[in-house]
Amino acid sequence: MSVLELRAVSKVYGQGVTEVVALHDVDLAVDPGQMVAVMGPSGSGKSSLLTIAGSLEAPTSGEVLVGGGKLAEMSRDELARLRRRSIGYVFQDFNLLPGLTAVENVSLPLELDGLSARRARAAGMTALERLDLADRAGHFPDQLSGGERQRVAIARAVVGDRRLLLADEPTGALDSSTGEAVMRLIRQACKQGVAAVVVTHDAQSASWADRVIFLRDDRVTDGTSPPAGPESLLAPGPGFPSGPAL
């Protein structure tokens, strides 16, 4: 059974002359252990796809299922529980709580779900260590660089027993070496059965995925397995947009 399914999902914002179609009849299934990269030009609906997949907003039409459960049939409490326990989300703007340290930000979802503070902090520290942030665990977000805040957000998204990881440009604020470490961590989560959807403009990051899909003009226009190396993603060719579309 797929961890995530989008069935004929459409999303429309506004009405009349202000109407904007973000997604139109999008179908997508992501299985356990699979990483799917989503690429496409700005405004093609990539971020809308993630927020709908993560139950942060509802589609205008179509169905979204996570772990076989239909999101439209869940109560607000059930959706909150699903996000807390099963879905890890990496936002472009990090969304870290300014009054909590790095390790407290990472361990908070586990504590909210009833894990003891000691065990939650231990799990948080492990996640930070994997991203070379153990020495920054006691620092607050405004004491961290942009790249460090991004890595804390990644650690928070993968800590605990998550089934679905949704990442919006997870390597956007990172240098190539740290970006590779982040993608390796996401890949490691997939090896443990997590399903991941990663929105990216970066061909190097997309090359870590099992599948690459493209959004253009609110539709999925092509899907493919990544070629042998990231350099081939940079070259124009069938199914791969060139220039600013990446």
Side-chain angles (χ1 to χ4, degrees):
M1 180 177 66
S2 297
V3 175
L4 172 68
E5 288 186 73
L6 274 64
R7 299 175 178 173
V9 164
S10 296
K11 183 63 178 179
V12 179
Y13 299 97
Q15 295 180 343
V17 295
T18 64
E19 181 177 287
V20 175
V21 179
L23 296 171
H24 181 74
D25 283 344
V26 170
D27 293 308
L28 175 65
V30 188
D31 295 332
Q34 188 175 57
M35 183 193 301
V36 175
V38 182
M39 304 185 79
S42 297
S44 59
K46 301 186 300 298
S47 293
S48 292
L49 186 151
L50 283 194
T51 56
I52 289 171
S55 80
L56 297 177
E57 62 178 339
T60 304
S61 61
E63 287 187 328
V64 182
L65 292 82
V66 174
K70 296 181 180 180
L71 299 189
E73 296 178 355
M74 296 184 187
S75 67
R76 292 181 63 180
D77 287 345
E78 288 171 331
L79 289 173
R81 189 179 306 115
L82 179 73
R83 288 191 293 267
R84 190 169 63 244
R85 294 182 176 178
S86 300
I87 302 175
Y89 207 122
V90 183
F91 300 89
Q92 287 191 48
D93 56 0
F94 316 135
N95 276 17
L96 300 178
L97 297 177
L100 299 182
T101 64
V103 70
E104 288 169 345
N105 266 284
V106 174
S107 61
L108 181 62
L110 301 181
E111 292 189 57
L112 290 175
D113 203 37
L115 196 66
S116 71
R118 182 180 60 82
R119 293 179 62 190
R121 299 292 169 83
M125 279 300 302
T126 298
L128 290 174
E129 286 166 0
R130 290 174 181 167
L131 287 166
D132 296 324
L133 281 172
D135 61 334
R136 311 296 279 171
H139 290 66
F140 294 94
D142 63 0
Q143 297 172 319
L144 303 173
S145 68
E148 288 170 339
R149 290 195 296 271
Q150 179 73 306
R151 283 184 282 164
V152 171
I154 292 282
R156 181 181 59 188
V158 299
V159 74
D161 187 21
R162 305 299 177 91
R163 289 184 292 169
L164 176 62
L165 174 61
L166 306 171
D168 198 352
E169 298 288 356
T171 62
L174 307 178
D175 58 42
S176 59
S177 176
T178 307
E180 183 176 339
V182 164
M183 295 307 299
R184 185 177 292 112
L185 183 60
I186 295 175
R187 185 80 256 178
Q188 181 179 350
C190 291
K191 288 181 179 179
Q192 296 170 354
V194 172
V197 181
V198 180
V199 164
T200 183
H201 284 87
D202 179 47
Q204 185 85 24
S205 297
S207 70
W208 287 80
D210 300 295
R211 291 164 53 207
V212 182
I213 66 170
F214 300 94
L215 282 176
R216 184 184 295 276
D217 298 328
D218 63 61
R219 299 171 185 263
V220 174
T221 59
D222 187 38
T224 184
S225 298
E231 66 280 352
S232 55
L233 272 171
L234 296 170
F240 290 89
S242 59
L246 286 175

